[in-house]
Amino acid sequence: MGIQKNKYNYLFKNMIPNSIEGIKIYGSKDQYIKPQYYDDVTNLENRIWSELYQKLEFLLDQYASKEYLLGLRTLPIPNNMFPNFKLISPLIENATGWTLLSVAGFLDEDLFFEINKQRRFPVTDIIRKSPRFDEKYSGVNILNKKGYTPEPDIFHDIQGHIPFLMNNKYADFMYEIGVLGFEIIKDERKLGKDLIYHNLKRLQNFAWWTYEYGLLDNKGLTDSFRRVDNDIKFEVYGSGIISSYDEVKNIIECSKGLSNRSKFLKYDIEEVILTCFDYSHIQDRYYIIDSMESLYSSFRENIELFYFEG
Ligand SMILES: [Fe+2]
């Protein structure tokens, strides 16, 4: 969702025009389901996957949250080839009732929340920097001014998000976000277009600073799950961090005092939902939650914040 003109925008901090120009956005009327043809995966695509995965593998073992590591260990997400959706989906379904839905690309909010509400997680089967990715966008400029595109890819979707869906509490939390998003759009409270947009943006900010870019206080209780002890104050649970080597490195460096590029702030739901973000850069801040439980309860106890009435 880019930033549109809206009379409630003054309530937000950091209004940054995140361009999604050129990106194909699929809605419910489009042919948005696109099965993965696993036999067509090329050696080059497997190699791109392997490089990304293996660069991050040991860092994540040391710094990712327990929920992530446990999920990853029980799923067939290989470190040297593309994951096969058909092998992963039934295992998540058995554990938490979620399934993978292979889609053609970026989905609009209505469709995205509707799919989440059915406990289905949309995943794409193409990887950045591959001929298939380039082909999809040949002749179209999908980069924003800073050279970034929010087009989803298989590495972020599968390696970043899916392991968490093996955890029942997390899976319920994601389902509740889907339900809330769907209800905001349905507008049973008759708030009108401006407020629907405004409340959806609140929810998008919440998602961004929590399950995409959130950190967890490291209480020193998870080292038994790791090959090497976590030597920083935080554990990573945001999927956007987990799928980005640069973002993980930045957190380690800032936490060790080797860089001051980003700051670490205590999670506060009212601040988080009103703080917009820039997806073209390493994040300038990360919000630290006390525990996954405290995140879930803060969301449930503050649902009304997503029904701002103007
Ligand atoms: Fe994501």
Side-chain angles (χ1 to χ4, degrees), residues 92-228:
I92 310 173
E93 189 171 17
N94 284 344
T96 63
W98 278 73
T99 53
L100 302 186
L101 180 69
S102 184
V103 300
F106 199 94
L107 306 181
D108 69 23
E109 289 97 14
D110 299 34
L111 188 54
F112 182 80
F113 289 128
E114 194 177 344
I115 288 172
N116 278 182
K117 196 172 85 74
Q118 297 156 355
R119 288 186 173 257
R120 294 191 295 171
F121 198 87
V123 289
T124 42
D125 80 329
I126 59 176
I127 196 155
R128 282 159 194 252
K129 298 184 179 146
S130 69
R132 253 201 299 163
F133 190 91
D134 295 343
E135 196 186 305
K136 181 172 178 184
Y137 285 108
S138 70
V140 185
N141 179 20
I142 56 164
L143 300 179
N144 67 12
K145 287 194 187 75
K146 288 166 186 149
Y148 182 85
T149 166
E151 172 73 14
D153 93 329
I154 186 173
F155 191 73
H156 172 72
D157 292 344
I158 298 287
Q159 184 266 8
H161 280 289
I162 296 311
F164 288 103
L165 291 177
M166 292 298 280
N167 179 290
N168 270 298
K169 288 179 179 163
Y170 186 98
D172 287 346
F173 168 66
M174 292 299 278
Y175 164 75
E176 288 164 34
I177 292 174
V179 171
L180 174 63
F182 189 73
E183 297 203 331
I184 293 172
I185 292 167
K186 265 199 336 207
D187 198 24
E188 275 175 3
R189 301 191 187 188
K190 304 261 178 289
L191 300 178
K193 234 173 92 192
D194 276 340
L195 285 166
I196 294 176
Y197 169 81
H198 177 80
N199 285 321
L200 275 181
K201 188 81 190 99
R202 286 180 172 217
L203 185 58
Q204 192 196 27
N205 290 339
F206 173 78
W208 187 268
W209 297 118
T210 60
Y211 73 75
E212 289 290 0
Y213 284 90
L215 296 177
L216 187 62
D217 187 28
N218 174 16
K219 297 190 169 66
L221 302 174
T222 54
D223 285 335
S224 58
F225 296 96
R226 309 176 191 285
R227 278 169 275 201
V228 177

Side-chain angles (χ1 to χ4, degrees), residues 259-304:
S259 158
N260 53 11
R261 185 169 184 177
S262 312
K263 52 192 173 197
F264 300 107
L265 304 168
K266 197 170 163 36
Y267 166 84
D268 170 340
I269 190 166
E270 295 194 32
E271 180 177 332
V272 158
I273 63 172
L274 294 176
T275 303
C276 297
F277 53 86
D278 181 354
Y279 54 58
S280 312
H281 282 290
I282 294 282
Q283 301 304 305
D284 65 350
R285 72 196 66 199
Y286 303 97
Y287 289 96
I288 318 300
I289 56 166
D290 191 47
S291 64
M292 294 309 284
E293 287 299 337
S294 68
L295 172 65
Y296 306 148
S297 56
S298 106
F299 175 70
R300 284 172 193 140
E301 287 159 15
N302 290 286
I303 286 283
E304 282 303 312

